[in-house]
Amino acid sequence: MALFTGTKDRRIDAKDRVVIPAPMANVIQAESGGKLFLVPADGLPCLEAYPAQKFQAMAQNHAPDRFQGDQHKRRMFFHLAEEVEIKGPGRITIPVKEWIDEYFPSGVIRVAGMADYLELWDPGRHDEVFKRPPTAGFSGNPDSQAG
């Protein structure tokens, strides 16, 4: 399984589509048949995007249990999940119009690698949640100052 890292900002087009960066999209095409599952994050203002292979492992309890035995969280995760397919040059359509209004008010999506899945953020919210300028380094301690 590939490792998703880094961030890239992409504009949402008039048809509610966004382009996943090519290195990430290529891995998703190769390893998951171009399928992703989008799910609102628990407690964060973003969407999580799971390649089909990872999503299926979670459904079959073959992946670490992010729900920690909380059946309600597990239900909500799978109830809210929407399958999307990469088309053309890495393009996906955000399937729920309300998600665009709620999660991406700027009309831009920051695609962020999270090791084995992606997070989709509004760039301003991402910067606000992590309280660091986009060019700051990461020291390994979220409470420390970069530099």
Side-chain angles (χ1 to χ4, degrees):
M1 171 148 302
L3 185 63
F4 298 114
T5 61
T7 62
K8 187 74 171 174
D9 291 359
R10 303 292 190 170
R11 183 157 298 284
I12 301 169
D13 73 13
K15 294 181 181 179
D16 301 335
R17 300 175 302 190
V18 66
V19 176
I20 301 297
M24 296 172 177
N26 292 342
V27 169
I28 295 163
Q29 286 282 19
E31 295 184 3
S32 290
K35 295 187 187 305
L36 280 172
F37 288 83
L38 303 182
V39 185
D42 183 28
L44 291 172
C46 68
L47 295 178
E48 297 170 339
Y50 293 91
Q53 185 178 45
K54 168 75 173 170
F55 190 83
Q56 289 166 354
M58 292 172 74
Q60 296 168 356
N61 292 321
H62 293 159
D65 186 7
R66 73 178 284 236
F67 311 108
Q68 300 174 354
D70 187 330
Q71 213 38 36
H72 176 71
K73 284 185 178 182
R74 184 175 175 80
R75 276 191 190 94
M76 293 310 297
F77 179 83
F78 289 104
H79 287 187
L80 295 172
E82 293 284 342
E83 183 177 354
V84 298
E85 188 171 347
I86 293 177
K87 297 184 178 175
R91 191 173 51 242
I92 63 168
T93 300
I94 304 299
V96 180
K97 179 68 172 163
E98 291 81 12
W99 286 356
I100 294 171
D101 298 335
E102 183 175 346
Y103 295 106
F104 315 112
S106 70
V108 175
I109 291 178
R110 177 166 293 158
V111 181
M114 287 295 296
D116 56 356
Y117 70 99
L118 305 173
E119 287 183 343
L120 308 179
W121 287 84
D122 182 88
R125 288 183 174 164
H126 185 263
D127 293 343
E128 182 180 307
V129 166
F130 295 105
K131 298 198 185 337
R132 64 183 179 94
T135 58
F138 179 67
S139 70
N141 178 354
D143 296 324
S144 70
Q145 294 284 346

